[in-house]
Amino acid sequence: MKLNILVTAGDGIGPEVTNEAVSVLKEIAALGGHDFAFMEKRIGGVAIVQDGTPLPDGTLDAALASDAVLLGAVGGNEFNSLPPSKRPEAGLLRIRAELGGFANLRPAFAFKELAINSPLRAEIIDGADILFVRELLGGLYFGQPRAWDRESGESWNTMRYTRSEVARVARIAFQLAQKRRRKLTSVDKANVLEVSQLWRATVNEVAAEFPDVTVEHQYVDAMAMHLMNRPRDFDVVVTENLFGDILSDESGVITGSLGMLPSATIGGKVNLFEPVHGSAPDIAGKGLANPLGAILTGALILRHSGGLETEAAAIESAVRKVLKQGFRTPDLVRGQTEGITALSTKEMGAKVRETVKEQLSAVGS
Ligand code: NAD
Ligand code: IPM
Ligand code: MN
């Protein structure tokens, strides 16, 4: 299998975690005789500093010419006073729009080994396995008009969706639900917002094509609570851009850490893969970042852009095994010491690599 992967590591912990994800993918390529080529390009704050723009043309061209893009994270405190259009985050939003993927899959899987790391009781999260499908190209992030009029002291953003934008992401969510536990929860604010009323009506229309999937609707405020109270009740959760952003970070409480969450964006010209977390300026450059979200994102590249299901599953089971053996980055430790070995970002990457190698060699022999 040949895959050209563009790596845009970005800022803060982005380079630290993507390095480990790439090293695991290289191990997979070596073991299976696959030809994975990696090219690196700048995005975000590092590109603002070196190229004067958060998304240089060379990065976008390389992304459009690749089979998959692996993005670390963008953003840094030094850019916080810039307007949205000039910030590192603008580079991320633009590459998302240009690549065209509208369905951002954010799986939140509660590894049993990390139950103790969640503030929720083990019996609440045991077995939780949710797939968020976040609409990624619409809503408040892209709606026009938007502005901050400093003279009048007024500012506005626009939450806007078309029926077809909702239908296409809903259809993907239903298809994914069919391959899972056949339950779809659509999250909106239809008690207040017209946009959400269109959202709900459209999800109901699309539901007619999928009679084998059970559909329920939840308001986003109640959903934020249900997720903490009864996360096991949810299978696929589809929602608009900002609600999905917020609920997916919240699901980091179920998995034990935000650093465990991967994502894959599909449906466009080139698939885009990013861990859910940001550039974490508070821990950047210290070897403290958890690379497992990025490594699990690597597994999603193999699944969604490479069709390499066995290899994707091998990464996921290697992560589980490493956790089972007690290896932890600092974010995965909550007071417990017994049976725990603290690892740096690089050491965690090396452990997963070693374990993937053992597993795939055992399968091959
Ligand atoms: P963040 O996700 O960077 O960090 C939130 C908290 O989680 C921090 O305490 C951080 O240390 C911790 N954390 C995050 N990832 C971790 C990991 N892998 N291992 C261990 N701990 C981890 O969110 P923030 O602090 O609100 O934002 C920081 C910057 O990142 C901002 O500029 C924001 O816009 C940007 N951001 C970028 C992306 C992206 O590029 N995809 C996503 C989210 C936030
Ligand atoms: C994410 C991030 C981004 C988003 C920001 C950095 C633009 O929070 O990927 O979740 O809001 O989509
Ligand atoms: Mn986010």
Side-chain angles (χ1 to χ4, degrees):
M1 174 80 207
K2 187 166 167 42
L3 269 183
N4 288 314
I5 301 172
L6 179 73
V7 182
T8 52
D11 306 318
I13 64 169
E16 297 171 63
V17 299
T18 48
N19 263 337
E20 300 317 312
V22 167
S23 78
V24 171
L25 291 173
K26 285 186 174 163
E27 187 69 57
I28 297 264
L31 289 165
H34 302 295
D35 180 8
F36 298 167
F38 297 89
M39 188 195 280
E40 291 180 27
K41 292 283 180 189
R42 285 189 288 272
I43 195 168
V46 67
I48 293 179
V49 171
Q50 297 202 35
D51 310 284
T53 168
L55 180 64
D57 289 345
T59 302
L60 179 57
D61 292 345
L64 286 165
S66 70
D67 298 314
V69 178
L70 171 63
L71 188 140
V74 299
N77 294 332
E78 61 274 42
F79 306 103
N80 282 349
S81 56
L82 294 175
S85 63
K86 301 237 169 349
R87 292 173 59 109
E89 290 84 347
L92 171 57
L93 295 174
R94 175 139 181 257
I95 200 171
R96 285 178 181 169
E98 298 278 355
L99 295 181
F102 55 84
N104 178 219
L105 318 187
R106 296 190 159 191
F109 179 81
F111 286 98
K112 211 165 75 206
E113 293 74 15
L114 295 180
I116 190 171
N117 203 52
S118 172
L120 302 174
R121 290 201 306 276
E123 69 264 29
I124 303 281
I125 53 177
D126 188 26
D129 177 4
I130 305 173
L131 177 59
F132 290 90
V133 180
R134 171 188 176 193
E135 200 293 324
L136 204 62
L137 294 185
L140 282 166
Y141 281 72
F142 293 95
Q144 294 290 344
R146 57 182 294 163
W148 177 5
D149 183 339
R150 282 161 204 271
E151 255 168 53
S152 68
E154 200 183 348
S155 58
W156 54 93
N157 290 93
T158 305
M159 190 189 269
R160 186 183 286 264
Y161 271 104
T162 64
R163 191 187 161 279
S164 65
E165 283 171 329
V166 180
R168 66 182 185 174
V169 74
R171 205 161 273 126
I172 287 199
F174 275 107
Q175 285 162 357
L176 290 163
Q178 279 183 321
K179 294 191 212 131
R180 292 171 48 104
R181 303 193 303 278
R182 296 197 299 279
K183 180 174 174 193
L184 183 84
T185 304
S186 174
V187 177
D188 61 37
K189 188 74 186 171
N191 50 344
V192 177
L193 304 174
E194 285 81 358
V195 183
S196 283
Q197 294 191 327
L198 167 86
W199 181 279
R200 192 175 282 216
T202 307
V203 169
N204 282 335
E205 278 170 34
V206 174
E209 299 166 29
F210 301 90
D212 53 333
V213 176
T214 306
V215 189
E216 67 165 9
H217 300 273
Q218 293 287 351
Y219 298 130
V220 62
D221 47 355
M223 184 65 184
M225 173 198 63
H226 294 317
L227 269 180
M228 297 293 98
N229 266 333
R230 48 182 187 89
R232 281 179 308 197
D233 286 357
F234 301 101
D235 179 13
V236 177
V237 176
V238 66
T239 190
E240 68 90 43
N241 207 341
L242 183 63
F243 298 163
D245 178 44
I246 296 168
L247 295 180
S248 60
D249 265 39
E250 190 191 12
S251 71
V253 176
I254 300 165
T255 62
S257 171
L258 178 54
M260 291 302 297
L261 300 174
S263 94
T265 304
I266 63 171
K269 295 180 198 144
V270 178
N271 293 341
L272 172 64
F273 299 86
E274 344 167 23
V276 169
H277 64 74
S279 57
D282 52 341
I283 57 164
K286 299 180 181 158
L288 299 174
N290 179 355
L292 295 177
I295 289 171
L296 292 167
T297 299
L300 297 184
I301 297 181
L302 300 182
R303 177 168 295 133
H304 294 285
S305 287
L308 297 171
E309 179 53 38
T310 308
E311 288 80 353
I315 295 179
E316 289 159 352
S317 84
V319 167
R320 158 157 276 163
K321 194 160 178 202
V322 162
L323 293 173
K324 207 168 181 173
Q325 291 168 334
F327 296 109
R328 300 281 188 275
T329 44
D331 59 306
L332 300 179
V333 181
R334 187 178 278 260
Q336 74 273 40
T337 48
E338 211 172 310
I340 294 296
T341 310
L343 297 184
S344 68
T345 309
K346 277 187 185 309
E347 289 166 338
M348 181 58 100
K351 266 293 162 220
V352 177
R353 223 158 47 227
E354 218 173 88
T355 312
V356 159
K357 192 170 179 175
E358 280 163 21
Q359 292 194 335
L360 286 178
S361 330
V363 170
S365 63

